Amino acid sequence: MVGDKKYMSMIVQPIFVSVVYLFLYLPIIVMVLFSFNKSANPMKWGGFSLQWYTQMWNIPEMVAALKTSLIVAAASTLLSLIIGVCFVVAHKWWKSEVLFSFFYVNILLPDIVLAIGVLSIFTFSHIPLGYGSLIVGHTLIGLGFVIPIIRARFVELDPYLTEASLDLGATYFQTFRRVLIPLLMPSLVAAGLLAFTLSLDDFLIAFFCAGPKVQTLSVYVYSMVKAGVDPTINAISAVLLGVSGILILVLLSLNVIDQVLSQE
Amino acid sequence: MKIIRRIVAEEFPFILACPALVWQVFFLFLPVCVLLLYSFFELIPGHWLGSFTLDYYRQIVHSRALWAILNSSILALITSTICFVLAYPLAYFLAIKVAKKLRMFFLFLLILPSWTSIVVQVYAWFFLLDKKGYLTQFLYNAGFISDNFHFLNSYGTILIGMVSAYLPFMVFPIYAVLERMDKRFLEASADLGANGRETFRRVVFPLSLPGVYAGFLLVFIPSFGEFAIPSLLGGSKYAFWGSVIVDRFLRSRDWRSGAALAILGVSIPVMLVASSFIVKKIIEIKKRREKKRLTAVKDQW
């Protein structure tokens, strides 16, 4: 029996785990490898080259889509952080648990419902689709994650700190700016990173709400893939993977990963 | 001016809460109401709101769109089950077997694909499994598959894409619960004479159930509404809820029946969440009663 147990933990489990990781990473590794392929035939290895990484910047649609993605991600991150932190802080003084659970809806509803919701409200009120609808949609997703993360940190704060600040004559606004914001900073950075990547990676909302004139990077890549395999997509994908990797490393180094995990 | 300033100072918390609530109401609750209106009221030119009708729902029930909802439910169910089977041992291994320093590395590897656009993840599989793709060519040259073998446009390939995209979302919550579990429970269980299997079945697994539940929701709900993966890996061969909605809203512009379809479809995850919430509450109440009974017994003694 003891031998059986040892056999399980020493051999079977590591093999199982490596097979699962291989399953996750095999396609990614092959894709990144072939982004350095010299040959224009995406399936045949023709030697090492960085040409696709330089060539992708010459595609105007790609550059425009990247610009859109970055603008929308930055704007929606900023918006969801500001709105979110205000809500969490107010929630303390203005108690109501029900209001807080409103924001679980953003995570629990399938994205596609948020997307057609934003699409229909913009069309219904005759506001043209574009940057506005994209930012609105991504801020909705962002809020769903930002509020729980900031709140996880906020409830751990010593309540006497805010009371002391108010007692010492600071107004609500001063307390907010001088006491709460610095204390909440780590969670704000983590939440911001998460909101930024969620916006950058989102496909569904951008697919529905971008309108005919603008497109985000995900939608651009989608339309490229629909047309077939192309080495420039490999290069773009590899760059996106690299950016995600850097963002995750920043997040991990902030040591707030436990909070994020407990919220997921 | 002074009055305004005083109101602002006194009602500051309320004012702070306003933007979030306004945003939520305007861009989430109101749109859902608009969708409901669209689906329940007949289209009459000149009036944006016609008379009440169930026609759009009847249309959905009698068309293939209902099958799409069923397809999506089955796909989401299979995906979350496979994810659970793969994720549980992985999370267990990470939380209990792997040394603390290495854990971060393993976690990083898990987070990386899930923090990349779903389109990129699907493209990676597309690159392998396309007709001229790497794996297809490799297997063909090795003589495993015949010339007219297709990976793409099959149910299995959709499942591969779904599982690889959503697996991390099952691992994270289970890992979080297991990692936070008091490891002394394991020792206590062993001291009380349980073997490894019993400890797992009666101690570890019951304690990890909240994580499993969260994982199921996190995988089931997005995979139910998934559009990109079936659309890229499955072609147009299979109709899923997401793809029919895209069709109704963006291609045929048939918004009213699209809205009805969306409402019908979303009721499945909503009912799932609601029922699990109710079960949770019932368990809580039962536990509280049991506790009360026990303290009453204790008091009698």
Side-chain angles (χ1 to χ4, degrees):
Chain A
M1 202 57 218
V2 174
D4 185 37
K5 208 174 122 197
K6 272 223 166 106
Y7 170 75
M8 268 298 281
S9 62
M10 293 303 287
I11 301 169
V12 177
Q13 281 178 3
I15 289 179
F16 178 84
V17 169
S18 21
V19 167
V20 173
Y21 270 96
L22 190 71
F23 168 69
L24 285 177
Y25 272 89
L26 181 71
I28 293 175
I29 290 169
V30 173
M31 180 189 73
V32 173
L33 203 70
F34 273 80
S35 69
F36 298 109
N37 188 5
K38 202 172 189 173
S39 157
N41 178 353
M43 297 308 166
K44 282 214 179 73
W45 182 254
F48 181 85
S49 133
L50 286 173
Q51 58 171 323
W52 306 113
Y53 287 91
T54 48
Q55 219 164 82
M56 67 190 224
W57 301 106
N58 297 334
I59 309 170
E61 288 98 350
M62 186 314 241
V63 177
L66 177 67
K67 216 190 250 168
T68 311
S69 275
L70 289 178
I71 291 172
V72 170
S76 61
T77 303
L78 208 64
L79 259 175
S80 46
L81 273 184
I82 293 171
I83 295 176
V85 78
C86 286
F87 183 73
V88 171
V89 170
H91 180 256
K92 166 86 181 172
W93 291 318
W94 195 55
K95 288 187 171 83
S96 172
E97 281 298 320
V98 185
L99 285 181
F100 184 75
S101 57
F102 271 8
F103 289 87
Y104 282 122
V105 177
N106 306 25
I107 304 179
L108 288 177
L109 272 188
D111 281 358
I112 198 164
V113 177
L114 298 186
I116 54 176
V118 174
L119 174 70
S120 55
I121 200 78
F122 270 72
T123 323
F124 192 72
S125 47
H126 297 289
I127 303 170
L129 297 169
Y131 283 97
S133 49
L134 280 175
I135 292 169
V136 162
H138 287 176
T139 306
L140 273 182
I141 296 187
L143 279 178
F145 288 86
V146 162
I147 290 180
I149 291 173
I150 300 178
R151 185 173 126 115
R153 165 97 181 157
F154 186 76
V155 292
E156 279 173 9
L157 292 183
D158 190 345
Y160 292 126
L161 289 172
T162 48
E163 277 167 33
S165 162
L166 290 173
D167 275 354
L168 289 171
T171 61
Y172 275 127
F173 183 70
Q174 283 167 332
T175 308
F176 181 61
R177 204 172 59 99
R178 292 272 186 74
V179 180
L180 284 173
I181 293 294
L183 285 170
L184 289 174
M185 212 24 130
S187 66
L188 286 179
V189 176
L193 280 173
L194 188 62
F196 190 82
T197 27
L198 282 171
S199 166
L200 212 58
D201 296 345
D202 163 74
F203 166 72
L204 265 178
I205 291 193
F207 190 67
F208 275 92
C209 305
K213 277 177 200 144
V214 287
Q215 64 176 349
T216 65
L217 203 53
S218 303
V219 178
Y220 171 72
V221 172
Y222 175 82
S223 57
M224 291 270 286
V225 177
K226 269 273 171 195
V229 171
D230 185 318
T232 43
I233 315 178
N234 290 41
I236 296 171
S237 302
V239 170
L240 283 175
L241 267 171
V243 171
S244 304
I246 293 166
L247 289 176
I248 299 167
L249 283 180
V250 174
L251 186 79
L252 286 177
S253 68
L254 280 171
N255 224 7
V256 278
I257 190 75
D258 283 341
Q259 283 170 18
V260 178
L261 277 178
S262 66
Q263 296 306 324
E264 280 269 5
Chain B
M1 207 46 213
K2 241 182 195 170
I3 294 171
I4 293 172
R5 203 172 285 168
R6 226 189 68 201
I7 290 172
V8 167
E10 276 174 10
E11 297 294 330
F12 190 60
F14 175 72
I15 293 167
L16 273 182
C18 265
L21 295 175
V22 168
W23 196 277
Q24 192 77 348
V25 167
F26 258 90
F27 297 123
L28 189 64
F29 297 141
L30 205 63
V32 171
C33 292
V34 169
L35 286 178
L36 279 169
L37 285 179
Y38 267 145
S39 68
F40 277 118
F41 290 90
E42 207 165 341
L43 178 71
I44 300 171
H47 299 264
W48 67 270
L49 202 63
S51 57
F52 180 82
T53 175
L54 284 173
D55 272 359
Y56 299 107
Y57 285 94
R58 223 167 277 144
Q59 248 177 55
I60 296 294
V61 173
H62 290 302
S63 72
R64 272 186 62 218
L66 196 67
W67 286 105
I69 295 180
L70 194 66
N71 271 346
S72 280
S73 321
I74 294 169
L75 182 73
L77 204 62
I78 298 175
T79 304
S80 36
T81 310
I82 297 177
C83 280
F84 167 70
V85 171
L86 294 179
Y88 201 95
L90 183 60
Y92 184 81
F93 185 78
L94 286 185
I96 294 178
K97 296 286 163 67
V98 175
K100 258 212 164 107
K101 277 192 177 166
L102 267 174
R103 253 182 230 167
M104 272 299 158
F105 173 69
F106 277 102
L107 275 183
F108 171 79
L109 284 184
L110 264 184
I111 300 172
L112 181 59
S114 70
W115 270 43
T116 315
S117 175
I118 205 143
V119 182
V120 169
Q121 294 177 52
V122 179
Y123 176 69
W125 279 109
F126 196 84
F127 193 75
L128 272 185
L129 301 178
D130 187 34
K131 183 86 180 82
K132 285 185 203 138
Y134 204 68
L135 195 65
T136 317
Q137 289 295 313
F138 178 78
L139 290 177
Y140 175 68
N141 290 337
F144 283 116
I145 54 175
S146 69
D147 190 25
N148 49 13
F149 183 86
H150 288 277
F151 272 116
L152 289 184
N153 301 343
S154 75
Y155 204 81
T157 312
I158 298 177
L159 269 181
I160 288 176
M162 298 285 273
V163 170
S164 71
Y166 289 116
L167 185 64
F169 295 102
M170 185 67 92
V171 179
F172 294 142
I174 299 177
Y175 167 82
V177 171
L178 287 177
E179 206 252 355
R180 237 173 284 147
M181 184 182 67
D182 194 337
K183 301 297 181 296
R184 283 174 302 183
F185 285 150
L186 301 180
E187 287 163 31
S189 170
D191 280 351
L192 291 171
N195 63 24
R197 198 165 297 168
E198 265 177 326
T199 303
F200 177 77
R201 197 168 58 87
R202 300 179 62 174
V203 180
V204 178
F205 190 70
L207 281 173
S208 67
L209 277 178
V212 174
Y213 156 79
F216 256 96
L217 284 190
L218 281 175
V219 174
F220 185 90
I221 294 171
S223 54
F224 182 77
E226 184 55 54
F227 163 69
I229 297 175
S231 141
L232 287 174
L233 294 178
S236 47
K237 197 165 156 196
Y238 299 93
F240 292 104
W241 182 57
S243 44
V244 180
I245 286 185
V246 169
D247 207 55
R248 294 280 156 95
F249 272 87
L250 296 180
R251 302 213 176 97
S252 64
R253 303 252 159 203
D254 189 0
W255 281 38
R256 282 164 196 267
S257 73
L261 179 69
I263 302 283
L264 269 182
V266 85
S267 65
I268 287 176
V270 167
M271 279 191 302
L272 195 77
V273 173
S275 60
S276 61
F277 187 74
I278 291 167
V279 168
K280 235 183 182 175
K281 270 268 140 60
I282 290 173
I283 291 172
E284 234 168 64
I285 290 168
K286 266 193 179 161
K287 263 189 191 161
R288 212 175 296 151
R289 268 200 202 141
E290 185 76 359
K291 221 178 188 178
K292 238 183 214 167
R293 205 177 58 85
L294 282 177
T295 43
V297 170
K298 231 190 233 164
D299 286 349
Q300 274 185 357
W301 277 87

